[in-house]
Every structure is written in structure tokens, then in C-alpha cells.
Amino acid sequence: MSTSTLPVRRLPVPPKTRRPRTVAIGWVIAAGLLVVHVIAWRATDVSFTALVEGWRGMADFLAEAIPPDLSWKVLGPSLSGAAVTLWIGLLGTTLSVPASLALALLAARDTAPAGWVYQSARGLLSFLRAVPDVVFALIFVTAVGLGPFPGVLALICHNVGVMGKLWAEALEDADPGPALALRTAGAGRLQIAAHALLPMVTPRLAGLLLYRFDVNVRSSLVLGLVGAGGIGFLINQSIQLFQFDEMLTHILVVLVLIVAVDRLSALVRHRLGSAS
């Protein structure tokens, strides 16, 4: 009989058995998460009953805000403020590129010249990332006064911390083959970074930069609430003057701005991904 005609016997796959220790660890983790959420619930005074009972206040607020005031007296300054918000986000992103790239090279293991430099760069990035951009804005407002400039400075400081860390991780995740070949040939760290690492990760760096631009435009809106200019300042002013119809107009303009920036950055990231 030919071996090709022999019947194939399928053996049953034994069921996977869970170890008692693994099950116990899972239950402990679930119980710990439950306890943490209960503590957080009580610490933040979460009460859906209070939310339901406050429907009348929300209804009055919406009644005063709808319909929005779309007169040019309100819409003109709103569009101008939205443009300033966009410029704050743009400058806060692009002006942070040199410092972000320099710190990323110092905070990546393959390009850091020494261990203490690596740790120092990581520490500086952690500090810049830990301090909220709103805090930076308040500091710079006291230094240079109200307006868009402190917002730009605040975004630069915070964005250097975030983008430097993201870029450093991108450099560390790059294919080590070309860098190893150059290192074997006697190339220095800067030569390895310039000719091996950066060319490989440039599309990813550009994609992260566009993502941060999207985030920074949103952040610049919040910075306007503390006096850093832009349409956020107009929203805060409308709330203080109880002009809720004007506030709704500004919010609608912000919505259009955010959607446009999000679509544009997503399109460019997609093009970069396709090119790479």
C-alpha cells in the first residue's frame, strides 16, 4: 500500500490547564484594581445623582448659549483668535525641534557619549515632561506679560520633554545593523547617528512631530485660559462676562480648527507612512 493513501489520524489537543498560582495572581490583581477604583471614586466625589439633579442649571446654560452669536462682531475676533491659537501651536512645535533632537541623541543609549550624559538627558526630559504646559505658561506670563508669546514659550519647554523622549525611544528601536556596521568600520557616535540612525527613523520622527503639532494646537487653546492669548482667552472672557452665545461661537470655531488640523496631520502622516 502506498504511504500517500494511509489515513491520517488526528490526535486530540489536550486542554490548557491554568496553574493555580496564575489564577490566584489574577484574582489578587483584579481585587487590587477594584480597591484602587473605589478609593479614586470616593476621593473625587463622583456622584451621578448630583449630575442628574443639576439638569436645570445645564438647561439654563444651554438656553442662554443657543443659538450662537454668528455676527461678524463676534465671529471676526473668533477667527482671528483661532489663527493665533494655530500659530502658537505651530511655533511651539517647530521651535522645539533643535532642542528635542539634541536631547534625544543624548538620551538614546546608542548615541549618548557617556552614561552620566544619558542619565542627565533623561532626567531633564522627565522634568520638562512632568511640568504641565499650563504651569510653564503661568511662569512666562509673569515674566513677559499677557499674550501669545508666553504660550509659545510654554509649549516649547513642555514639547521638548515629550518629543525628546519619543524621539530617543525611536532611535533606540531602530535596526542596529547599519549602526553596528559603521561602528565596526570605526565611525564615531555622531557619524553613526547622521548616516545610520537618523535616515532610518526620519519618517517616524516626522510622524511624531505632526502628532505633537496636533496636540499642541489643542494645548494652546487651554493656555489661552490663563492669559496666553488665542481663542482660549476669548472663551474665558465670554464666560466671565456671561456671554454664553459668544462662548458657543468660539467653541464652534475651535471645533472646526481642531478637525482641520487633525485631518491635515493624519493625511501627512499617512503619506509619510506610505513613502517609508
Side-chain angles (χ1 to χ4, degrees), residues 5-10:
T5 60
L6 292 176
V8 178
R9 184 183 178 185
R10 296 183 178 182

Side-chain angles (χ1 to χ4, degrees), residues 87 89-98 156 159 163 209 213 216:
W87 306 144
L90 177 64
L91 292 178
T93 304
T94 55
L95 295 182
S96 64
V97 168
I156 290 174
N159 198 58
M163 203 157 60
L209 180 65
F213 169 63
N216 286 335

